[in-house]
Amino acid sequence: MFPKIVYFCCLLVIVSPWSSPPLALAIGLAFGLLVHNPYAKQTKALTKTLLQASVVGLGFGMNLSEVCVSLGTVFILNSVALLVFPAIGLWAGLSQSQFGLWAALAIHDTSSVVGAASKYGAGALAVGTTVKLARAVDSPGCGRNGLVQTTECEDPMAMVHPFFLSCRSHQYLFACRS
């Protein structure tokens, strides 16, 4: 009974006009860590739908001119990387595998990685494409090491894997060195 009372008290505070998004987040985090969820089955069923609705809702508040500037910036930087990275790789004396790894980790767009790596050489193309696609598949929600996973896992290390970027980058570095 106590968790239900705490749940509804938290809900009243969160939906009140005096609450703010950071306060609601802090209350939800504290509740999730300190109190047993009295509505676990209902929460599990609604989580996916509510998360999707939240992401769509965030889109309504975006400034379209800022989005256009951001997309333009990414496009320009990818174009520059496509042209400049091979020259920098030659200047730095990078091997084919080193360049492929560097391009895959540093260039945002997969097609720009493929373009720059193919300009550098076949070995760079193989490594760059493999690493870039592996990182894309390993992104949250796409691969087995996504950001949120169920708690029914037998392996406690596979339950939540929030540091996938740094961990995977280091794994790729060690894989390419050998």
Side-chain angles (χ1 to χ4, degrees):
M1 186 69 174
F2 177 73
K4 289 183 179 182
I5 294 171
V6 173
Y7 177 83
F8 283 109
C9 289
C10 290
L11 186 63
L12 287 174
V13 171
I14 289 171
V15 299
S16 72
W18 303 285
S19 182
S20 65
L23 178 63
L25 183 63
I27 289 172
L29 185 63
F31 179 81
L33 293 174
L34 301 175
V35 182
H36 173 72
N37 184 355
Y39 302 104
K41 287 184 180 179
Q42 295 88 345
T43 303
K44 189 172 183 177
L46 289 174
T47 299
K48 182 178 179 182
T49 305
L50 289 175
L51 183 59
Q52 290 172 343
S54 298
V55 170
V56 170
L58 286 172
F60 288 119
M62 289 195 304
N63 184 338
L64 289 180
S65 65
E66 290 178 7
V67 172
C68 291
V69 169
S70 299
L71 290 173
T73 302
V74 169
F75 178 77
I76 289 170
L77 290 175
N78 279 328
S79 301
V80 169
L82 180 63
L83 299 172
V84 173
F85 268 52
I88 294 173
L90 288 172
W91 174 79
L94 297 178
S95 69
Q96 295 282 316
S97 61
Q98 289 172 332
F99 180 83
L101 178 65
W102 176 55
L105 296 177
I107 300 174
H108 174 72
D109 186 46
T110 304
S111 62
S112 296
V113 171
V114 170
S118 66
K119 196 171 183 183
Y120 202 78
L125 177 62
V127 172
T129 304
T130 303
V131 172
K132 190 64 176 180
L133 292 176
R135 289 189 73 209
V137 169
D138 219 12
S139 294
C142 294
R144 67 172 183 81
N145 289 325
L147 189 57
V148 179
Q149 294 182 352
T150 61
T151 56
E152 287 101 21
C153 293
E154 291 179 15
D155 180 13
M157 295 304 291
M159 288 170 50
V160 177
H161 195 70
F163 303 106
F164 69 95
L165 286 175
S166 60
C167 295
R168 290 293 176 208
S169 298
H170 293 297
Q171 288 175 4
Y172 296 135
L173 286 172
F174 291 123
C176 287
R177 283 183 128 183
S178 58

